[in-house]
Amino acid sequence: MNQNLATRLIINGLVQGVGFRPSVYRLANRLGLKGWIKNTGNGVEIVISSLDASSFIRELSNSLPPLAIIDSISCEEYHLSTAITDFHILDSIAGNISQTRIAPDCKICSDCLIELFNPESRYYLYPFISCTNCGPRYTIIKNLPYDRINTSYKDFELCRNCNDDYNNPANRRYHAETSCCKVCGPSYNMELEKVANYIQDGKIIALKGTGGYVLIADAKNSEVISRLRTAKKRAKKPLAVMALNTISIRYNYAEVNAQEAALLETNPNPIVILKQKKHSPLPANIAPELDTLGIMLAHSPAYYLLFYYLLGKPSGYEWLEKPNDKLLIVTSANLSGEAIITDDMLAQEALSDIADYIISHNREITVPVDDSVMRMAGKHKIMLRHARGLTPLNYSFNYELPQVLGVGASLKATLSFSKNNKIHISQYIGDLKQLPVIDYYQKIYQYYCQLYTVKPELIVCDLHPDFYTSQFATESGLPVLKLQHHNAHFAAVLGEFESYGYLLEQRILGCILDGYGYGNNGEALGGELIEFDFKTLQFKTISQLPELMSIGGDLAEKEPWRLALAMCIQYDLPIPEYLLKQPNANIILEILKDGNTPKTTAMGRIFSGVAALLGVMAINDYEANAAMLLESMVSMPETDFDIVRLTADGKPDVATLIRRVYTIGVTENNRQKAINLFYGSLTTLLDKWIVYHASLHRINQIALSGGCWQSPYLLSMISDKFQHSTLELLIPKDLPLNDECISFGQAWYGIKKLT
């Protein structure tokens, strides 16, 4: 055999920044192979001294490091210019990346956690401990390939001990780019023990975390919560909290089933929406009037250290798994609606009026990232916010994709772009109503342009002319395709299922229930059945919810009493006194009686209107406030089948439903029964609507999307109704149902139009 013949493999996937090269090095030596491995712009290149790579590939697939994912492997014969005598990890080659994934930030691994609290370890109580299996990735990367010089760790020169670990193949920090210790790594400007003492004393702390500054305070101190809300201008929106472990949550604060525990403990350690215990010891102002809590577990060394000090510096490791009653508020350190802060000088300027102490570290955060948020709806996981630990999300397809950019919506903005065979989706960016969030959006776009050399052939945007994203697309100078908001919602579900290799039929029905979507003629939409045809790539609305009078545009959602007044006029209901007491109610009433008012088909407006009609909430403090409060009051949904019917033109008879809810809730003064009846009957009505039109149009697959499907009652009940049906429900698995999915749907549809 020619000694200069070898095999070269190019491997793509999540293979940079996850300990892949050290793992391959150890495998090659175990198999007695010679050659090398290096990161390149086109993926990880491996050369092995064998013409048969099958056994190597098989062994590699069975011995991947915990975070690694292989998407593709290509092999070719390779001619060595000189003989090789062993296996090396070579320096990386820079270049524009193709299919290599960027690793997300990862929670601290169990090995590092043990070292963190081992008095004999060099990493004892060091808040930046990490290894190849954990630590920051996405928030530190400046360029690819993933090498220390291309991260925000480049200015921290390894000390002798860390350098020895970095170059030792037997060490788990072998070529771990975030390796550091208290001698050579980043540091906080205040000892975390002192920070913990301040928290116990009722102080508000702004702490620079992995993805940005967060505000931390004692979650059991009602006075400090009130002070935080006033300073943050966040009157009622629930505050996220953090516990050390799941057992502490289950013992003290919330109900946690097995699926919810799995969400809490999964790698991102997201915020999970849980049902509060009936006699929770938490102050009411942590999540005013709601029966749920947004809770996450400690995920970084710094958070574990705070709990360690709060618990009085316990010895050993048993305390990590034992229940305790410590609970921290951990919320983004910004004013409500503004962008997450990462810059130290900006933090001093913007947070001095909110926090008692501002605690920073000297490691740059390259990309800001908020916390991910999830919840369960029956057996379905609902992604509410896709961010830390999950970003960037990638979807692979079995064909080459043209480069398309989906710029997203205005609320819950994201952006998505395609390259090679993948669509990449950014993290949650925010609501593009504030200049800092627009700056953040532009920064993320430039970041991806730099990393992936994004050169779109087409930009797809929303129809709404006033969205910043629509203006961004128009001003780009590139070809622009405008896609209606709810068609983009629908497209997102289709794109996700196509990427999974799911067998999709030619014609699919989408049930899109949302708060607002700009229609083809400028109308306010939000509740449609849409047919999509893969052959023609056409969307066709075949039915929609009945129109509801809505006055004031976005103000109607901010002040749902307006919607309740409209329901009274439209459905000929006596107007409750509490609605007439609202400012300008008489003026609004006269306009409504005139009949010449804007109308909407939005399901979100129905939820808000019913909440106000029943006296649950007249004015929203935050998005979907009324709907969330209404849902928190559901005890046992029930259906009145006498009122579950379609109109002559096949639309849900919403008028009869609302009249019945009014009679029970207002006339008979039984609000609890009215709320239960509303949820149960509405779900049955939606089921009847979907089944009728699916049968009429001979369609077997139904896609669900839109923010209203985030209701756990609505989604779980509709899913149960279809469990034994011949119809298939397509419910997103990883994509949010809300507007975060819009950019992905836009990009996928643009790809289809170009191919």
Side-chain angles (χ1 to χ4, degrees):
M1 172 183 166
N2 188 335
Q3 295 298 311
N4 288 338
L5 287 181
T7 301
R8 182 170 72 169
L9 301 91
I10 300 295
I11 300 182
N12 273 294
L14 192 50
V15 290
Q16 294 191 24
V18 293
F20 186 74
R21 289 176 298 168
S23 180
V24 170
Y25 174 90
R26 289 188 283 269
L27 174 62
N29 279 280
R30 178 163 60 85
L31 297 177
L33 295 170
K34 301 173 181 60
W36 66 76
I37 180 172
K38 61 184 175 183
N39 285 339
T40 77
N42 293 315
V44 174
E45 178 186 276
I46 303 173
V47 172
I48 55 172
S49 56
S50 172
L51 288 177
D52 183 6
S54 57
S55 61
F56 172 78
I57 293 172
R58 183 171 58 253
E59 289 293 324
L60 177 61
S61 299
N62 293 330
S63 58
L64 290 175
L67 303 179
I69 300 172
I70 293 177
D71 289 335
S72 64
I73 302 176
S74 64
C75 300
E76 64 181 9
E77 189 176 286
Y78 186 80
H79 292 268
L80 298 167
S81 57
T82 58
I84 49 178
T85 58
D86 51 17
F87 196 88
H88 296 281
I89 295 180
L90 300 181
D91 291 339
S92 301
I93 298 177
N96 297 329
I97 67 172
S98 58
Q99 300 183 62
T100 300
R101 296 199 209 178
I102 301 172
D105 292 353
C106 182
K107 70 176 183 178
I108 184 173
C109 69
S110 57
D111 290 330
C112 283
L113 195 56
I114 290 172
E115 285 184 315
L116 182 64
F117 295 110
N118 179 3
E120 305 300 318
S121 169
R122 289 194 299 111
Y123 305 97
Y124 181 52
L125 306 183
Y126 180 56
F128 296 92
I129 183 174
S130 67
C131 68
T132 55
N133 297 325
C134 69
R137 296 293 189 271
Y138 180 65
T139 53
I140 64 166
I141 292 174
K142 294 187 173 185
N143 214 331
L144 287 173
Y146 177 72
D147 289 315
R148 195 178 182 95
I149 195 172
N150 289 328
T151 73
S152 55
Y153 276 78
K154 68 180 179 64
D155 295 327
F156 298 97
E157 185 177 351
L158 293 172
C159 66
R160 186 180 67 181
N161 287 328
C162 285
N163 192 61
D164 288 346
D165 290 348
Y166 184 85
N167 289 289
N168 179 5
N171 193 290
R172 77 173 191 281
R173 293 187 175 87
Y174 182 47
H175 280 264
E177 309 302 351
T178 56
S179 288
C180 61
C181 69
K182 60 186 69 176
V183 174
C184 62
S187 60
Y188 276 104
N189 64 348
M190 180 184 288
E191 293 295 325
L192 292 180
E193 182 173 8
K194 185 178 285 189
V195 174
N197 291 335
Y198 283 139
I199 293 170
Q200 286 184 313
D201 291 341
K203 304 300 184 184
I204 298 171
I205 305 296
L207 181 76
K208 188 178 182 182
T210 303
Y213 277 87
V214 293
L215 295 171
I216 302 179
D218 182 357
K220 298 169 75 174
N221 188 325
S222 177
E223 183 180 340
V224 77
I225 293 170
S226 295
R227 189 158 60 88
L228 175 60
R229 287 193 175 281
T230 300
K232 195 172 161 65
K233 299 180 181 178
R234 187 171 177 170
K236 290 186 178 180
K237 191 174 183 180
L239 295 165
V241 295
M242 176 182 286
L244 176 65
N245 49 41
T246 303
I247 195 170
S248 296
I249 298 172
R250 188 177 277 130
Y251 268 44
N252 300 302
Y253 306 114
E255 307 294 337
V256 187
N257 62 32
Q259 292 169 307
E260 290 165 337
L263 285 188
L264 282 166
E265 296 165 6
T266 193
N267 183 43
N269 285 139
I271 296 170
V272 179
I273 310 300
L274 301 172
K275 195 90 164 180
Q276 281 199 60
K277 282 183 172 292
K278 288 186 178 180
H279 303 291
S280 169
L282 292 178
N285 59 350
I286 197 85
E289 302 173 315
L290 300 179
D291 65 344
T292 55
L293 280 173
I295 309 182
M296 61 181 147
L297 298 181
H299 50 80
S300 73
Y303 289 134
Y304 272 99
L305 286 169
L306 286 179
F307 280 101
Y308 169 75
Y309 293 123
L310 289 168
L311 290 168
K313 299 191 287 189
S315 59
Y317 306 102
E318 290 183 358
W319 63 275
L320 291 165
E321 302 297 331
K322 285 185 175 180
N324 67 74
D325 65 350
K326 301 298 181 185
L327 197 71
L328 297 175
I329 291 170
V330 181
T331 185
S332 298
N334 52 8
L335 293 179
S336 188
E338 292 194 359
I340 188 169
I341 296 172
T342 60
D343 181 78
D344 297 335
M345 291 184 63
L346 179 59
Q348 290 291 335
E349 179 184 328
L351 303 177
S352 58
D353 292 335
I354 300 177
D356 297 302
Y357 296 95
I358 299 172
I359 314 302
S360 63
H361 58 66
N362 57 343
R363 193 204 77 215
E364 179 189 359
I365 297 172
T366 306
V367 185
V369 175
D370 228 316
D371 290 310
S372 295
V373 185
M374 303 178 188
R375 79 179 305 166
M376 292 301 302
K379 63 182 179 180
H380 298 286
K381 175 185 74 178
I382 302 179
M383 185 71 67
L384 298 173
R385 186 165 71 202
H386 179 273
R388 175 184 52 79
L390 300 170
T391 296
L393 184 61
N394 305 270
Y395 283 99
S396 299
F397 296 82
N398 60 4
Y399 56 96
E400 191 76 7
L401 309 178
Q403 286 203 42
V404 175
L405 175 66
V407 293
S410 180
L411 300 179
K412 298 177 175 59
T414 60
L415 56 85
S416 298
F417 64 93
S418 56
K419 189 168 185 180
N420 299 106
N421 71 325
K422 290 183 177 64
I423 300 179
H424 306 264
I425 312 170
S426 78
Q427 71 269 32
Y428 162 86
I429 295 172
D431 298 345
L432 298 173
K433 294 180 179 179
Q434 304 273 357
L435 186 58
V437 184
I438 291 174
D439 290 342
Y440 179 20
Y441 180 94
Q442 293 173 336
K443 180 178 180 179
I444 296 300
Y445 174 66
Q446 293 299 328
Y447 178 71
Y448 282 123
C449 285
Q450 175 186 328
L451 286 183
Y452 287 91
T453 319
V454 179
K455 295 180 180 178
E457 304 170 40
L458 177 69
I459 295 184
V460 187
C461 69
D462 198 271
L463 285 179
H464 202 303
D466 296 332
F467 281 2
Y468 166 76
T469 49
S470 299
Q471 296 164 10
F472 178 88
T474 303
E475 294 169 4
S476 69
L478 295 168
V480 174
L481 173 66
K482 294 186 177 181
L483 182 63
Q484 198 275 328
H485 190 82
H486 296 130
N487 292 345
H489 265 292
F490 190 0
V493 185
L494 299 176
E496 184 180 40
F497 275 84
E498 186 196 14
S499 76
Y500 296 146
Y502 199 83
L503 184 60
L504 295 171
E505 298 183 358
Q506 180 184 321
R507 293 163 56 247
I508 298 177
L509 189 66
C511 181
I512 314 301
L513 303 180
D514 204 5
Y516 173 79
Y518 190 89
N520 291 315
N521 299 309
E523 64 271 45
L525 304 177
E528 294 90 56
L529 290 180
I530 303 168
E531 178 186 331
F532 178 73
D533 190 317
F534 267 97
K535 186 175 182 180
T536 63
L537 299 180
Q538 295 296 310
F539 294 96
K540 178 183 178 183
T541 299
I542 60 176
S543 186
Q544 61 185 31
L545 295 178
E547 291 182 327
L548 172 67
M549 290 193 297
S550 175
I551 186 168
D554 290 343
L555 197 58
E557 176 59 22
K558 176 69 176 174
E559 300 180 359
W561 63 266
R562 294 168 176 259
L563 296 164
L565 269 184
M567 287 177 172
C568 291
I569 298 301
Q570 189 166 339
Y571 303 133
D572 196 24
L573 302 171
I575 302 172
E577 187 65 27
Y578 48 81
L579 293 180
L580 292 173
K581 290 180 179 179
Q582 295 299 322
N584 300 318
N586 290 329
I587 297 174
I588 300 299
L589 204 54
E590 290 303 314
I591 297 173
L592 289 168
K593 287 178 180 178
D594 183 58
N596 188 26
T597 60
K599 296 179 174 60
T600 179
T601 61
M603 175 59 78
R605 299 296 190 259
I606 294 176
F607 278 107
S608 296
V610 168
L613 191 66
L614 295 176
V616 171
M617 176 164 285
I619 298 177
N620 277 331
D621 183 69
Y622 53 89
E623 184 191 5
N625 187 183
M628 289 171 63
L629 184 53
L630 187 71
E631 180 149 305
S632 72
M633 299 174 70
V634 178
S635 58
M636 183 65 69
E638 57 182 90
T639 299
D640 182 344
F641 289 95
D642 289 339
I643 62 171
V644 175
R645 56 194 184 211
L646 303 180
T647 60
D649 55 356
K651 295 182 178 182
D653 189 351
V654 174
T656 298
L657 171 62
I658 290 177
R659 288 189 183 108
R660 181 63 176 147
V661 167
Y662 178 94
T663 299
I664 295 172
V666 181
T667 306
E668 298 176 6
N669 198 29
N670 191 341
R671 187 166 68 179
Q672 182 63 68
K673 182 177 176 62
I675 292 171
N676 289 340
L677 183 84
F678 174 68
Y679 271 85
S681 300
L682 176 64
T683 305
T684 306
L685 185 57
L686 292 173
D687 169 58
K688 187 166 190 160
W689 184 41
I690 293 168
V691 171
Y692 172 77
H693 286 282
S695 174
L696 182 66
H697 294 270
R698 299 181 180 179
I699 298 175
N700 299 312
Q701 294 178 327
I702 294 92
L704 305 183
S705 190
C708 293
W709 286 116
Q710 293 176 144
S711 160
Y713 281 111
L714 207 61
L715 187 64
S716 61
M717 287 190 295
I718 205 76
S719 176
D720 288 345
K721 288 180 180 296
F722 277 79
Q723 192 170 0
H724 303 293
S725 170
T726 57
L727 301 176
E728 276 187 280
L729 279 186
L730 307 180
I731 301 172
K733 300 181 185 298
D734 294 307
L735 276 177
L737 288 153
N738 59 39
D739 281 7
E740 284 186 49
C741 75
I742 291 293
S743 69
F744 177 76
Q746 291 169 340
W748 179 83
Y749 186 70
I751 289 164
K752 289 297 179 185
K753 293 293 282 186
L754 291 180
T755 55

